[in-house]
Amino acid sequence: MKLVAATGNKDKLLEFSRILSPLGIDVMSPEDVGITNFDVPETGDTFAENAAIKAQEMFRLSGLPSFADDSGLCIDALNGRPGVYSARYLDGFPQEKKNLAILKELENITHENRNARFICNIYCILSSVDTIITEGICEGKIANAPSGDGGFGYDPIFLYGGKSFASLNSAEKDQASHRGTALRKLVEKLKEFLGENR
Ligand code: IMP
């Protein structure tokens, strides 16, 4: 089965293909279906709303089964920030600066109080009446300093089992990550849907 990914984020596209291809889903990028510069204003207040907005726009433009991921990092000591605004935190600054700014915000916070989680919501549109929504959450802590050179975004400052996401190999990250969990749930629900509609 083919699904169009409603994202211009190359790092997310890479993870989508890495996780979904072995499970029998071909991920197409916006460019694969002739859509360039896909960018939709994320005007929702929740991950679920923003995922729906992006998937609906891609389904409208492509007319093909489409899905979107909206995700972010929620830090308890910052009352859930940056949350849905993770991509727009210190907008315009390089990711390295964003990571250092988060660490600065947490400089007086002890390890016990540095709990955080990555959240991913997937909204998948199969037809004008069939949608699948899933969520994945990965619990961890914010590190004291960035480490590792894999992954993207906030991976260097997010600790999972004592190691930063950026220090894990891709299989380890996918097994643990919010995105891996949400996408595997999507595949399960797709199987149910296709079984029922055979
Ligand atoms: P959005 O879903 O397009 O709003 O962007 C989500 C933002 O959250 C990304 O730009 C990253 O900054 C961050 N993010 C989401 N997932 C991950 C991840 O797996 N690792 C690191 N950062 C992530």
mmCIF file of all heavy atoms in Angstrom, residues 6-9 11-12 15 40 42 47 50-51 54 68-73 82-89 95 98-99 118-121 151-158 165-166 173 177-180, ligand 1:
data_model
loop_
_atom_site.group_PDB
_atom_site.id
_atom_site.type_symbol
_atom_site.label_atom_id
_atom_site.label_comp_id
_atom_site.label_asym_id
_atom_site.label_seq_id
_atom_site.Cartn_x
_atom_site.Cartn_y
_atom_site.Cartn_z
ATOM 1 N N ALA A 6 2.442 13.875 4.523
ATOM 2 C CA ALA A 6 2.185 15.316 4.465
ATOM 3 C C ALA A 6 3.249 16.055 5.261
ATOM 4 O O ALA A 6 2.991 16.577 6.343
ATOM 5 C CB ALA A 6 0.790 15.617 5.021
ATOM 6 N N THR A 7 4.448 16.066 4.723
ATOM 7 C CA THR A 7 5.524 16.794 5.401
ATOM 8 C C THR A 7 6.613 17.201 4.423
ATOM 9 O O THR A 7 6.876 16.501 3.448
ATOM 10 C CB THR A 7 6.172 15.951 6.530
ATOM 11 O OG1 THR A 7 7.105 16.773 7.233
ATOM 12 C CG2 THR A 7 6.894 14.726 6.005
ATOM 13 N N GLY A 8 7.216 18.337 4.708
ATOM 14 C CA GLY A 8 8.387 18.755 3.946
ATOM 15 C C GLY A 8 9.645 18.489 4.764
ATOM 16 O O GLY A 8 10.742 18.845 4.355
ATOM 17 N N ASN A 9 9.487 17.849 5.937
ATOM 18 C CA ASN A 9 10.609 17.603 6.845
ATOM 19 C C ASN A 9 11.335 16.311 6.428
ATOM 20 O O ASN A 9 10.815 15.209 6.571
ATOM 21 C CB ASN A 9 10.049 17.498 8.272
ATOM 22 C CG ASN A 9 11.109 17.277 9.320
ATOM 23 O OD1 ASN A 9 12.100 16.595 9.079
ATOM 24 N ND2 ASN A 9 10.888 17.839 10.492
ATOM 25 N N ASP A 11 13.883 14.793 7.677
ATOM 26 C CA ASP A 11 14.217 13.864 8.770
ATOM 27 C C ASP A 11 13.022 12.980 9.109
ATOM 28 O O ASP A 11 13.157 11.785 9.345
ATOM 29 C CB ASP A 11 14.649 14.646 10.015
ATOM 30 C CG ASP A 11 15.946 15.402 9.782
ATOM 31 O OD1 ASP A 11 16.956 14.754 9.478
ATOM 32 O OD2 ASP A 11 15.929 16.645 9.877
ATOM 33 N N LYS A 12 11.836 13.599 9.122
ATOM 34 C CA LYS A 12 10.633 12.799 9.386
ATOM 35 C C LYS A 12 10.407 11.808 8.245
ATOM 36 O O LYS A 12 10.084 10.640 8.492
ATOM 37 C CB LYS A 12 9.408 13.704 9.500
ATOM 38 C CG LYS A 12 9.262 14.417 10.822
ATOM 39 C CD LYS A 12 7.884 15.055 10.872
ATOM 40 C CE LYS A 12 7.656 15.884 12.100
ATOM 41 N NZ LYS A 12 6.323 16.500 12.103
ATOM 42 N N GLU A 15 12.510 8.804 8.643
ATOM 43 C CA GLU A 15 12.024 7.891 9.695
ATOM 44 C C GLU A 15 10.752 7.168 9.254
ATOM 45 O O GLU A 15 10.583 5.987 9.521
ATOM 46 C CB GLU A 15 11.808 8.659 11.016
ATOM 47 C CG GLU A 15 13.121 9.151 11.611
ATOM 48 C CD GLU A 15 13.046 9.511 13.089
ATOM 49 O OE1 GLU A 15 11.980 9.405 13.708
ATOM 50 O OE2 GLU A 15 14.104 9.905 13.625
ATOM 51 N N VAL A 40 1.962 23.927 5.437
ATOM 52 C CA VAL A 40 0.614 24.333 5.852
ATOM 53 C C VAL A 40 0.730 25.028 7.209
ATOM 54 O O VAL A 40 1.401 24.499 8.099
ATOM 55 C CB VAL A 40 -0.292 23.086 6.017
ATOM 56 C CG1 VAL A 40 -1.724 23.484 6.282
ATOM 57 C CG2 VAL A 40 -0.196 22.200 4.805
ATOM 58 N N GLU A 42 0.323 25.659 10.846
ATOM 59 C CA GLU A 42 -0.143 24.757 11.913
ATOM 60 C C GLU A 42 -0.890 25.610 12.939
ATOM 61 O O GLU A 42 -0.324 26.057 13.921
ATOM 62 C CB GLU A 42 1.048 24.011 12.510
ATOM 63 C CG GLU A 42 1.715 23.126 11.467
ATOM 64 C CD GLU A 42 2.835 22.258 12.016
ATOM 65 O OE1 GLU A 42 2.941 22.076 13.242
ATOM 66 O OE2 GLU A 42 3.600 21.742 11.188
ATOM 67 N N PHE A 47 -1.492 18.509 19.113
ATOM 68 C CA PHE A 47 -0.826 17.687 18.099
ATOM 69 C C PHE A 47 -1.879 17.086 17.168
ATOM 70 O O PHE A 47 -1.687 17.034 15.949
ATOM 71 C CB PHE A 47 -0.034 16.564 18.767
ATOM 72 C CG PHE A 47 1.126 17.038 19.608
ATOM 73 C CD1 PHE A 47 1.140 16.840 20.980
ATOM 74 C CD2 PHE A 47 2.205 17.687 19.029
ATOM 75 C CE1 PHE A 47 2.206 17.271 21.757
ATOM 76 C CE2 PHE A 47 3.285 18.125 19.799
ATOM 77 C CZ PHE A 47 3.275 17.917 21.164
ATOM 78 N N ASN A 50 -3.205 19.641 14.611
ATOM 79 C CA ASN A 50 -2.225 19.980 13.570
ATOM 80 C C ASN A 50 -1.979 18.817 12.614
ATOM 81 O O ASN A 50 -1.802 19.018 11.410
ATOM 82 C CB ASN A 50 -0.916 20.449 14.198
ATOM 83 C CG ASN A 50 -1.020 21.866 14.717
ATOM 84 O OD1 ASN A 50 -1.820 22.663 14.216
ATOM 85 N ND2 ASN A 50 -0.234 22.193 15.724
ATOM 86 N N ALA A 51 -1.983 17.594 13.148
ATOM 87 C CA ALA A 51 -1.814 16.433 12.266
ATOM 88 C C ALA A 51 -2.993 16.366 11.291
ATOM 89 O O ALA A 51 -2.813 16.113 10.085
ATOM 90 C CB ALA A 51 -1.712 15.153 13.082
ATOM 91 N N LYS A 54 -2.701 19.023 8.456
ATOM 92 C CA LYS A 54 -1.702 18.693 7.422
ATOM 93 C C LYS A 54 -2.175 17.536 6.540
ATOM 94 O O LYS A 54 -2.029 17.575 5.316
ATOM 95 C CB LYS A 54 -0.356 18.357 8.086
ATOM 96 C CG LYS A 54 0.313 19.567 8.727
ATOM 97 C CD LYS A 54 1.697 19.246 9.277
ATOM 98 C CE LYS A 54 1.667 18.713 10.679
ATOM 99 N NZ LYS A 54 2.990 18.627 11.334
ATOM 100 N N ALA A 68 -0.254 12.452 8.162
ATOM 101 C CA ALA A 68 0.628 13.472 8.721
ATOM 102 C C ALA A 68 1.020 13.093 10.133
ATOM 103 O O ALA A 68 0.271 12.405 10.831
ATOM 104 C CB ALA A 68 -0.068 14.824 8.741
ATOM 105 N N ASP A 69 2.193 13.560 10.509
ATOM 106 C CA ASP A 69 2.689 13.398 11.882
ATOM 107 C C ASP A 69 2.779 14.793 12.471
ATOM 108 O O ASP A 69 3.310 15.693 11.832
ATOM 109 C CB ASP A 69 4.078 12.737 11.763
ATOM 110 C CG ASP A 69 5.085 13.050 12.865
ATOM 111 O OD1 ASP A 69 5.160 14.204 13.336
ATOM 112 O OD2 ASP A 69 5.842 12.133 13.220
ATOM 113 N N ASP A 70 2.222 15.009 13.643
ATOM 114 C CA ASP A 70 2.553 16.219 14.372
ATOM 115 C C ASP A 70 3.144 15.772 15.700
ATOM 116 O O ASP A 70 2.603 14.885 16.368
ATOM 117 C CB ASP A 70 1.357 17.148 14.590
ATOM 118 C CG ASP A 70 1.850 18.556 14.906
ATOM 119 O OD1 ASP A 70 2.436 19.196 14.009
ATOM 120 O OD2 ASP A 70 1.688 19.005 16.056
ATOM 121 N N SER A 71 4.268 16.345 16.028
ATOM 122 C CA SER A 71 5.017 15.833 17.165
ATOM 123 C C SER A 71 5.760 16.945 17.874
ATOM 124 O O SER A 71 5.876 18.051 17.355
ATOM 125 C CB SER A 71 5.990 14.752 16.687
ATOM 126 O OG SER A 71 6.709 15.196 15.555
ATOM 127 N N GLY A 72 6.258 16.626 19.054
ATOM 128 C CA GLY A 72 7.030 17.621 19.780
ATOM 129 C C GLY A 72 7.489 17.105 21.123
ATOM 130 O O GLY A 72 7.155 15.989 21.535
ATOM 131 N N LEU A 73 8.262 17.947 21.769
ATOM 132 C CA LEU A 73 8.879 17.615 23.054
ATOM 133 C C LEU A 73 8.178 18.390 24.171
ATOM 134 O O LEU A 73 8.107 19.622 24.118
ATOM 135 C CB LEU A 73 10.362 18.005 23.002
ATOM 136 C CG LEU A 73 11.179 17.793 24.271
ATOM 137 C CD1 LEU A 73 11.251 16.313 24.649
ATOM 138 C CD2 LEU A 73 12.604 18.341 24.084
ATOM 139 N N PRO A 82 8.401 22.861 24.934
ATOM 140 C CA PRO A 82 7.804 23.644 23.852
ATOM 141 C C PRO A 82 6.570 22.994 23.229
ATOM 142 O O PRO A 82 5.829 23.644 22.530
ATOM 143 C CB PRO A 82 8.938 23.782 22.836
ATOM 144 C CG PRO A 82 9.847 22.631 23.111
ATOM 145 C CD PRO A 82 9.750 22.359 24.579
ATOM 146 N N GLY A 83 6.322 21.708 23.492
ATOM 147 C CA GLY A 83 5.059 21.073 23.083
ATOM 148 C C GLY A 83 4.740 21.251 21.616
ATOM 149 O O GLY A 83 5.587 21.010 20.743
ATOM 150 N N VAL A 84 3.500 21.693 21.343
ATOM 151 C CA VAL A 84 3.096 21.831 19.917
ATOM 152 C C VAL A 84 3.915 22.905 19.211
ATOM 153 O O VAL A 84 3.910 22.971 17.986
ATOM 154 C CB VAL A 84 1.592 22.163 19.718
ATOM 155 C CG1 VAL A 84 0.726 20.961 19.947
ATOM 156 C CG2 VAL A 84 1.133 23.314 20.552
ATOM 157 N N TYR A 85 4.618 23.708 19.995
ATOM 158 C CA TYR A 85 5.442 24.764 19.370
ATOM 159 C C TYR A 85 6.904 24.339 19.230
ATOM 160 O O TYR A 85 7.775 25.182 19.037
ATOM 161 C CB TYR A 85 5.327 26.063 20.187
ATOM 162 C CG TYR A 85 3.897 26.532 20.291
ATOM 163 C CD1 TYR A 85 3.176 26.367 21.469
ATOM 164 C CD2 TYR A 85 3.240 27.077 19.175
ATOM 165 C CE1 TYR A 85 1.843 26.743 21.544
ATOM 166 C CE2 TYR A 85 1.910 27.452 19.253
ATOM 167 C CZ TYR A 85 1.217 27.281 20.430
ATOM 168 O OH TYR A 85 -0.100 27.641 20.504
ATOM 169 N N SER A 86 7.185 23.029 19.311
ATOM 170 C CA SER A 86 8.571 22.558 19.274
ATOM 171 C C SER A 86 9.316 23.024 18.026
ATOM 172 O O SER A 86 10.476 23.426 18.102
ATOM 173 C CB SER A 86 8.616 21.031 19.350
ATOM 174 O OG SER A 86 8.166 20.602 20.618
ATOM 175 N N ALA A 87 8.654 22.972 16.875
ATOM 176 C CA ALA A 87 9.328 23.387 15.634
ATOM 177 C C ALA A 87 9.555 24.898 15.629
ATOM 178 O O ALA A 87 10.515 25.386 15.049
ATOM 179 C CB ALA A 87 8.519 22.963 14.416
ATOM 180 N N ARG A 88 8.660 25.626 16.304
ATOM 181 C CA ARG A 88 8.741 27.103 16.258
ATOM 182 C C ARG A 88 9.435 27.709 17.470
ATOM 183 O O ARG A 88 9.539 28.931 17.560
ATOM 184 C CB ARG A 88 7.318 27.678 16.115
ATOM 185 C CG ARG A 88 6.763 27.483 14.709
ATOM 186 C CD ARG A 88 5.273 27.689 14.667
ATOM 187 N NE ARG A 88 4.561 26.524 15.166
ATOM 188 C CZ ARG A 88 3.260 26.498 15.437
ATOM 189 N NH1 ARG A 88 2.537 27.591 15.278
ATOM 190 N NH2 ARG A 88 2.684 25.387 15.872
ATOM 191 N N TYR A 89 9.917 26.891 18.397
ATOM 192 C CA TYR A 89 10.669 27.403 19.558
ATOM 193 C C TYR A 89 11.911 28.122 19.025
ATOM 194 O O TYR A 89 12.631 27.581 18.188
ATOM 195 C CB TYR A 89 11.046 26.220 20.448
ATOM 196 C CG TYR A 89 11.894 26.554 21.669
ATOM 197 C CD1 TYR A 89 11.336 27.143 22.792
ATOM 198 C CD2 TYR A 89 13.249 26.243 21.689
ATOM 199 C CE1 TYR A 89 12.109 27.429 23.915
ATOM 200 C CE2 TYR A 89 14.030 26.518 22.806
ATOM 201 C CZ TYR A 89 13.453 27.118 23.911
ATOM 202 O OH TYR A 89 14.231 27.389 25.017
ATOM 203 N N GLN A 95 19.024 24.502 15.158
ATOM 204 C CA GLN A 95 18.587 23.554 16.186
ATOM 205 C C GLN A 95 19.554 23.513 17.373
ATOM 206 O O GLN A 95 19.128 23.388 18.518
ATOM 207 C CB GLN A 95 18.414 22.160 15.576
ATOM 208 C CG GLN A 95 17.845 21.130 16.539
ATOM 209 C CD GLN A 95 16.417 21.447 16.997
ATOM 210 O OE1 GLN A 95 15.574 21.836 16.190
ATOM 211 N NE2 GLN A 95 16.145 21.284 18.294
ATOM 212 N N LYS A 98 18.654 26.078 19.760
ATOM 213 C CA LYS A 98 17.401 25.746 20.459
ATOM 214 C C LYS A 98 17.695 24.763 21.587
ATOM 215 O O LYS A 98 17.186 24.912 22.707
ATOM 216 C CB LYS A 98 16.397 25.110 19.486
ATOM 217 C CG LYS A 98 15.985 26.011 18.327
ATOM 218 C CD LYS A 98 14.923 25.314 17.504
ATOM 219 C CE LYS A 98 14.619 26.089 16.243
ATOM 220 N NZ LYS A 98 13.307 25.825 15.682
ATOM 221 N N ASN A 99 18.530 23.755 21.287
ATOM 222 C CA ASN A 99 18.842 22.750 22.310
ATOM 223 C C ASN A 99 19.549 23.402 23.491
ATOM 224 O O ASN A 99 19.228 23.110 24.653
ATOM 225 C CB ASN A 99 19.707 21.639 21.703
ATOM 226 C CG ASN A 99 18.923 20.784 20.722
ATOM 227 O OD1 ASN A 99 17.698 20.867 20.670
ATOM 228 N ND2 ASN A 99 19.615 19.977 19.944
ATOM 229 N N PHE A 118 8.483 12.826 24.380
ATOM 230 C CA PHE A 118 8.158 13.126 22.981
ATOM 231 C C PHE A 118 6.763 12.559 22.715
ATOM 232 O O PHE A 118 6.461 11.425 23.113
ATOM 233 C CB PHE A 118 9.137 12.443 22.028
ATOM 234 C CG PHE A 118 10.366 13.240 21.704
ATOM 235 C CD1 PHE A 118 11.635 12.741 21.991
ATOM 236 C CD2 PHE A 118 10.268 14.485 21.084
ATOM 237 C CE1 PHE A 118 12.777 13.463 21.669
ATOM 238 C CE2 PHE A 118 11.405 15.210 20.758
ATOM 239 C CZ PHE A 118 12.663 14.697 21.055
ATOM 240 N N ILE A 119 5.941 13.345 22.043
ATOM 241 C CA ILE A 119 4.597 12.888 21.670
ATOM 242 C C ILE A 119 4.457 12.994 20.153
ATOM 243 O O ILE A 119 4.913 13.973 19.544
ATOM 244 C CB ILE A 119 3.509 13.744 22.360
ATOM 245 C CG1 ILE A 119 3.652 13.625 23.885
ATOM 246 C CG2 ILE A 119 2.108 13.315 21.910
ATOM 247 C CD1 ILE A 119 2.611 14.392 24.685
ATOM 248 N N CYS A 120 3.846 11.978 19.570
ATOM 249 C CA CYS A 120 3.586 12.000 18.125
ATOM 250 C C CYS A 120 2.131 11.606 17.877
ATOM 251 O O CYS A 120 1.672 10.590 18.403
ATOM 252 C CB CYS A 120 4.498 10.997 17.426
ATOM 253 S SG CYS A 120 4.124 10.749 15.686
ATOM 254 N N ASN A 121 1.426 12.404 17.136
ATOM 255 C CA ASN A 121 0.072 12.047 16.692
ATOM 256 C C ASN A 121 0.104 11.841 15.187
ATOM 257 O O ASN A 121 0.651 12.674 14.462
ATOM 258 C CB ASN A 121 -0.931 13.162 17.020
ATOM 259 C CG ASN A 121 -1.449 13.081 18.447
ATOM 260 O OD1 ASN A 121 -2.607 13.356 18.724
ATOM 261 N ND2 ASN A 121 -0.572 12.683 19.366
ATOM 262 N N GLY A 151 20.130 11.178 14.503
ATOM 263 C CA GLY A 151 18.793 11.759 14.675
ATOM 264 C C GLY A 151 18.682 13.192 14.198
ATOM 265 O O GLY A 151 19.421 13.643 13.327
ATOM 266 N N PHE A 152 17.746 13.913 14.801
ATOM 267 C CA PHE A 152 17.508 15.302 14.403
ATOM 268 C C PHE A 152 16.845 16.036 15.579
ATOM 269 O O PHE A 152 16.574 15.445 16.630
ATOM 270 C CB PHE A 152 16.627 15.378 13.143
ATOM 271 C CG PHE A 152 15.193 14.973 13.352
ATOM 272 C CD1 PHE A 152 14.193 15.937 13.504
ATOM 273 C CD2 PHE A 152 14.823 13.634 13.422
ATOM 274 C CE1 PHE A 152 12.853 15.575 13.703
ATOM 275 C CE2 PHE A 152 13.499 13.269 13.625
ATOM 276 C CZ PHE A 152 12.512 14.230 13.772
ATOM 277 N N GLY A 153 16.590 17.301 15.378
ATOM 278 C CA GLY A 153 15.828 18.090 16.342
ATOM 279 C C GLY A 153 16.408 18.033 17.752
ATOM 280 O O GLY A 153 17.597 18.261 17.967
ATOM 281 N N TYR A 154 15.545 17.698 18.703
ATOM 282 C CA TYR A 154 15.940 17.699 20.115
ATOM 283 C C TYR A 154 16.593 16.383 20.547
ATOM 284 O O TYR A 154 16.839 16.172 21.737
ATOM 285 C CB TYR A 154 14.711 18.006 20.997
ATOM 286 C CG TYR A 154 14.113 19.370 20.708
ATOM 287 C CD1 TYR A 154 13.021 19.522 19.854
ATOM 288 C CD2 TYR A 154 14.659 20.522 21.269
ATOM 289 C CE1 TYR A 154 12.482 20.768 19.560
ATOM 290 C CE2 TYR A 154 14.137 21.777 20.982
ATOM 291 C CZ TYR A 154 13.049 21.890 20.129
ATOM 292 O OH TYR A 154 12.533 23.138 19.850
ATOM 293 N N ASP A 155 16.891 15.487 19.596
ATOM 294 C CA ASP A 155 17.470 14.181 19.950
ATOM 295 C C ASP A 155 18.724 14.278 20.826
ATOM 296 O O ASP A 155 18.889 13.464 21.743
ATOM 297 C CB ASP A 155 17.796 13.369 18.683
ATOM 298 C CG ASP A 155 16.552 12.727 18.087
ATOM 299 O OD1 ASP A 155 15.489 12.758 18.726
ATOM 300 O OD2 ASP A 155 16.655 12.181 16.965
ATOM 301 N N PRO A 156 19.640 15.246 20.594
ATOM 302 C CA PRO A 156 20.865 15.273 21.418
ATOM 303 C C PRO A 156 20.617 15.587 22.898
ATOM 304 O O PRO A 156 21.467 15.298 23.734
ATOM 305 C CB PRO A 156 21.705 16.396 20.778
ATOM 306 C CG PRO A 156 21.189 16.526 19.382
ATOM 307 C CD PRO A 156 19.708 16.222 19.478
ATOM 308 N N ILE A 157 19.449 16.175 23.246
ATOM 309 C CA ILE A 157 19.241 16.526 24.664
ATOM 310 C C ILE A 157 18.158 15.659 25.325
ATOM 311 O O ILE A 157 17.814 15.876 26.476
ATOM 312 C CB ILE A 157 18.897 18.027 24.848
ATOM 313 C CG1 ILE A 157 17.603 18.406 24.118
ATOM 314 C CG2 ILE A 157 20.074 18.900 24.411
ATOM 315 C CD1 ILE A 157 17.046 19.753 24.569
ATOM 316 N N PHE A 158 17.620 14.673 24.589
ATOM 317 C CA PHE A 158 16.571 13.811 25.151
ATOM 318 C C PHE A 158 17.187 12.473 25.545
ATOM 319 O O PHE A 158 17.702 11.745 24.688
ATOM 320 C CB PHE A 158 15.449 13.603 24.124
ATOM 321 C CG PHE A 158 14.298 12.785 24.653
ATOM 322 C CD1 PHE A 158 13.344 13.359 25.488
ATOM 323 C CD2 PHE A 158 14.162 11.436 24.323
ATOM 324 C CE1 PHE A 158 12.276 12.605 25.988
ATOM 325 C CE2 PHE A 158 13.103 10.676 24.804
ATOM 326 C CZ PHE A 158 12.153 11.267 25.638
ATOM 327 N N PHE A 165 18.795 10.236 22.518
ATOM 328 C CA PHE A 165 18.231 9.687 21.273
ATOM 329 C C PHE A 165 19.260 9.791 20.138
ATOM 330 O O PHE A 165 19.340 8.921 19.287
ATOM 331 C CB PHE A 165 16.962 10.468 20.890
ATOM 332 C CG PHE A 165 15.672 9.726 21.173
ATOM 333 C CD1 PHE A 165 15.648 8.530 21.858
ATOM 334 C CD2 PHE A 165 14.461 10.256 20.717
ATOM 335 C CE1 PHE A 165 14.451 7.855 22.096
ATOM 336 C CE2 PHE A 165 13.255 9.588 20.941
ATOM 337 C CZ PHE A 165 13.257 8.391 21.637
ATOM 338 N N ALA A 166 20.060 10.868 20.169
ATOM 339 C CA ALA A 166 21.048 11.063 19.097
ATOM 340 C C ALA A 166 22.217 10.095 19.211
ATOM 341 O O ALA A 166 23.009 9.975 18.273
ATOM 342 C CB ALA A 166 21.551 12.507 19.114
ATOM 343 N N LYS A 173 16.397 3.821 18.050
ATOM 344 C CA LYS A 173 15.500 4.979 18.188
ATOM 345 C C LYS A 173 14.088 4.597 17.739
ATOM 346 O O LYS A 173 13.114 4.888 18.419
ATOM 347 C CB LYS A 173 15.999 6.200 17.395
ATOM 348 C CG LYS A 173 15.011 7.358 17.568
ATOM 349 C CD LYS A 173 15.329 8.663 16.868
ATOM 350 C CE LYS A 173 14.134 9.609 17.037
ATOM 351 N NZ LYS A 173 14.208 10.847 16.308
ATOM 352 N N SER A 177 10.902 5.144 19.947
ATOM 353 C CA SER A 177 10.400 6.513 19.756
ATOM 354 C C SER A 177 8.882 6.622 19.677
ATOM 355 O O SER A 177 8.169 5.674 19.330
ATOM 356 C CB SER A 177 11.031 7.143 18.508
ATOM 357 O OG SER A 177 10.331 6.752 17.352
ATOM 358 N N HIS A 178 8.426 7.795 20.005
ATOM 359 C CA HIS A 178 7.036 8.201 19.860
ATOM 360 C C HIS A 178 6.539 7.948 18.428
ATOM 361 O O HIS A 178 5.453 7.444 18.216
ATOM 362 C CB HIS A 178 6.929 9.695 20.211
ATOM 363 C CG HIS A 178 7.944 10.562 19.504
ATOM 364 N ND1 HIS A 178 9.280 10.226 19.436
ATOM 365 C CD2 HIS A 178 7.831 11.723 18.802
ATOM 366 C CE1 HIS A 178 9.932 11.150 18.748
ATOM 367 N NE2 HIS A 178 9.073 12.066 18.348
ATOM 368 N N ARG A 179 7.402 8.245 17.450
ATOM 369 C CA ARG A 179 7.005 8.073 16.047
ATOM 370 C C ARG A 179 6.902 6.594 15.698
ATOM 371 O O ARG A 179 5.968 6.164 15.013
ATOM 372 C CB ARG A 179 8.035 8.781 15.147
ATOM 373 C CG ARG A 179 7.686 8.818 13.672
ATOM 374 C CD ARG A 179 8.511 9.857 12.932
ATOM 375 N NE ARG A 179 8.220 11.192 13.433
ATOM 376 C CZ ARG A 179 9.062 11.889 14.214
ATOM 377 N NH1 ARG A 179 10.244 11.410 14.543
ATOM 378 N NH2 ARG A 179 8.706 13.078 14.668
ATOM 379 N N GLY A 180 7.881 5.801 16.175
ATOM 380 C CA GLY A 180 7.849 4.358 15.914
ATOM 381 C C GLY A 180 6.570 3.753 16.474
ATOM 382 O O GLY A 180 5.879 2.981 15.792
HETATM 383 P P1 IMP B 1 6.046 19.525 13.631
HETATM 384 O O1 IMP B 1 5.464 18.169 13.924
HETATM 385 O O2 IMP B 1 6.236 19.766 12.178
HETATM 386 O O3 IMP B 1 5.312 20.627 14.339
HETATM 387 O O4 IMP B 1 7.539 19.551 14.191
HETATM 388 C C1 IMP B 1 7.852 18.854 15.321
HETATM 389 C C2 IMP B 1 9.177 19.339 15.922
HETATM 390 O O5 IMP B 1 9.351 18.622 17.138
HETATM 391 C C3 IMP B 1 10.381 19.011 15.050
HETATM 392 O O6 IMP B 1 10.738 20.064 14.215
HETATM 393 C C4 IMP B 1 11.445 18.756 16.104
HETATM 394 O O7 IMP B 1 11.980 19.977 16.546
HETATM 395 C C5 IMP B 1 10.665 18.153 17.243
HETATM 396 N N1 IMP B 1 10.654 16.682 17.128
HETATM 397 C C6 IMP B 1 9.611 15.881 16.755
HETATM 398 N N2 IMP B 1 9.995 14.604 16.730
HETATM 399 C C7 IMP B 1 11.282 14.594 17.066
HETATM 400 C C8 IMP B 1 12.235 13.548 17.190
HETATM 401 O O8 IMP B 1 11.981 12.356 16.941
HETATM 402 N N3 IMP B 1 13.474 13.922 17.584
HETATM 403 C C9 IMP B 1 13.799 15.207 17.853
HETATM 404 N N4 IMP B 1 12.973 16.232 17.726
HETATM 405 C C10 IMP B 1 11.707 15.918 17.336
#
